[in-house]
């Protein structure tokens, strides 16, 4: 993980003001996404992942971070995207939702930005991919539109093709 990522991680973890409009921006298959900062516990580089049998294809296994074990989901696989090799920009974002903490593998993380609630539009009703199911809203920013991910759906919704 680069020095830029460590600084970003420090901003998230050390932030004392968890405002609802703060979002972490990330890239996945060339698209800009965002996650609410208040659901993020930390960001780490790729670490060894222990495989487990009989899991959905998108659940890569578990990781051990400082004595805590977290399941890890590859978001590319969850969205039905083409697999690519992990590199020095690939990160695991540890998120927490409904009493469960999970690592999400993403291509790259960018920055923390503010997206006020009034600048978030509902997601489109028609989508061409599995990824559309996991979009909570469209966040309008000065630099375009960020697809805001729905952590709950990523963690808990079933996709028939993955069974």
């Amino acid at each position: 993980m680069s020095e830029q990522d460590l600084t970003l991680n420090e901003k998230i973890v050390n932030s004392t003001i968890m405002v609802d409009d703060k979002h972490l921006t990330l890239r996945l298959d060339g698209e800009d996404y965002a996650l609410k900062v208040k659901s993020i516990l930390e960001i780490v580089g790729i670490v060894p992942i222990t495989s487990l049998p009989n899991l959905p294809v998108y659940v890569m296994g578990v990781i051990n971070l400082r004595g805590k074990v977290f399941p890890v989901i590859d978001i590319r696989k969850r969205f039905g995207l083409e697999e690519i090799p992990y590199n020095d920009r690939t990160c695991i974002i540890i998120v927490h939702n409904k009493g469960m903490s999970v690592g999400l593998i993403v291509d790259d993380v960018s920055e923390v930005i503010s997206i006020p609630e009034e600048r978030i539009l509902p997601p489109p009703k028609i989508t061409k991919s599995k990824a559309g199911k996991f979009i909570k809203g469209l966040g309008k920013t000065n630099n375009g539109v960020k697809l805001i991910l729905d952590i709950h759906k990523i963690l808990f919704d079933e996709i028939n093709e993955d069974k």
Side-chain angles (χ1 to χ4, degrees):
M1 197 153 81
S2 72
E3 185 175 314
Q4 176 188 354
D5 294 332
L6 291 175
T7 303
L8 180 60
N9 197 38
E10 289 171 1
K11 285 181 185 177
I12 293 169
V13 174
N14 296 331
S15 177
T16 55
I17 304 172
M18 291 295 186
V19 183
D20 273 346
D21 72 348
K22 297 293 183 196
H23 291 77
L24 171 68
T25 60
L26 57 107
R27 302 245 337 139
L28 193 62
D29 200 39
E31 295 288 333
D32 290 322
Y33 292 90
L35 287 170
K36 281 198 173 255
V37 167
K38 72 179 188 175
S39 66
I40 299 172
L41 299 177
E42 73 178 292
I43 302 169
V44 296
I46 289 295
V47 296
I49 300 171
T50 303
S51 298
L52 298 173
N54 301 320
L55 294 174
V57 67
Y58 55 87
V59 180
M60 304 309 295
V62 296
I63 59 172
N64 181 349
L65 290 177
R66 294 175 298 286
K68 292 184 180 177
V69 176
F70 300 98
V72 179
I73 294 173
D74 187 312
I75 296 298
R76 281 184 156 275
K77 288 184 178 184
R78 182 71 163 133
F79 287 6
L81 301 172
E82 178 184 341
E83 286 184 62
I84 61 170
Y86 300 147
N87 60 42
D88 63 339
R89 299 295 306 161
T90 306
C91 297
I92 301 175
I93 303 171
I94 307 296
V95 298
H96 187 79
N97 183 273
K98 305 285 184 190
M100 182 178 196
S101 296
V102 174
L104 305 177
I105 300 174
V106 300
D107 294 350
D108 191 9
V109 294
S110 302
E111 61 184 337
V112 175
I113 61 171
S114 291
I115 307 176
E117 194 65 37
E118 62 270 11
R119 297 196 66 167
I120 298 176
L121 304 172
K125 301 254 187 244
I126 301 173
T127 100
K128 297 179 185 175
S129 70
K130 286 184 196 178
K133 175 179 181 170
F134 305 112
I135 304 302
K136 189 174 193 171
L138 306 175
K140 297 187 299 182
T141 70
N142 294 336
N143 299 327
V145 175
K146 307 292 186 213
L147 305 172
I148 300 173
L149 296 174
D150 187 325
I151 296 293
H152 184 78
K153 287 184 180 178
I154 290 171
L155 298 183
F156 299 109
D157 278 10
E158 292 294 323
I159 299 177
N160 293 331
E161 297 92 344
D162 292 335
K163 289 184 179 179

